[in-house]
Amino acid sequence: MSLDAPWIGWLEIDLGNGLGVSVATVDVNVRRDMVIFYIGNRNIAVIDRQQLRRWLIHPTIDLLQDDVVFLTLAGELCLSVDASVPYVVPKDAARELLQLV
């Protein structure tokens, strides 16, 4: 593997309700060309890795992909699953996601 090959692997992100209470855990499978999001054994989104990276760097409009909406609220990265209320991605997890995709 080349030193400049993209990172691949798994991340775990605990989503919060904005009050610091964890409401769901999302498992993220970062592959060479795509990123797959799961809750339990359910695949909730498959997104092109470069598209997600571009959006994370410059989130302008909400990004709808499969059963997930990626959005920002008050500068916080959030996910809405199945049209639910948006859940906050903790800042450290959002930073890690950006660094690894």
Side-chain angles (χ1 to χ4, degrees), residues 23-37:
V23 294
T25 299
V26 175
D27 293 308
V28 183
N29 183 355
V30 181
R31 295 184 179 183
R32 191 165 74 66
D33 296 326
M34 69 183 84
V35 182
I36 306 170
F37 293 81

Side-chain angles (χ1 to χ4, degrees), residues 30-90:
V30 181
R31 295 184 179 183
R32 191 165 74 66
D33 296 326
M34 69 183 84
V35 182
I36 306 170
F37 293 81
Y38 298 89
I39 291 182
N41 62 357
R42 179 179 165 215
N43 173 330
I44 57 172
V46 177
I47 187 166
D48 177 81
R49 186 173 180 162
Q50 292 306 315
Q51 179 184 8
L52 179 60
R53 180 174 184 68
R54 283 191 302 270
W55 187 87
L56 288 169
I57 292 169
H58 298 291
T60 51
I61 61 172
D62 297 350
L63 176 61
L64 173 61
Q65 186 66 39
D66 302 323
D67 298 331
V68 175
V69 177
F70 300 86
L71 64 148
T72 57
L73 293 173
E76 301 276 351
L77 174 62
C78 299
L79 297 179
S80 173
V81 180
D82 294 329
S84 69
V85 297
Y87 297 116
V88 176
V89 175

Side-chain angles (χ1 to χ4, degrees), residues 1-23:
M1 179 182 273
S2 158
L3 290 177
D4 50 350
W7 181 87
I8 57 172
W10 286 86
L11 302 172
E12 188 174 272
I13 298 175
D14 289 321
L15 300 178
N17 65 359
L19 301 174
V21 177
S22 179
V23 294

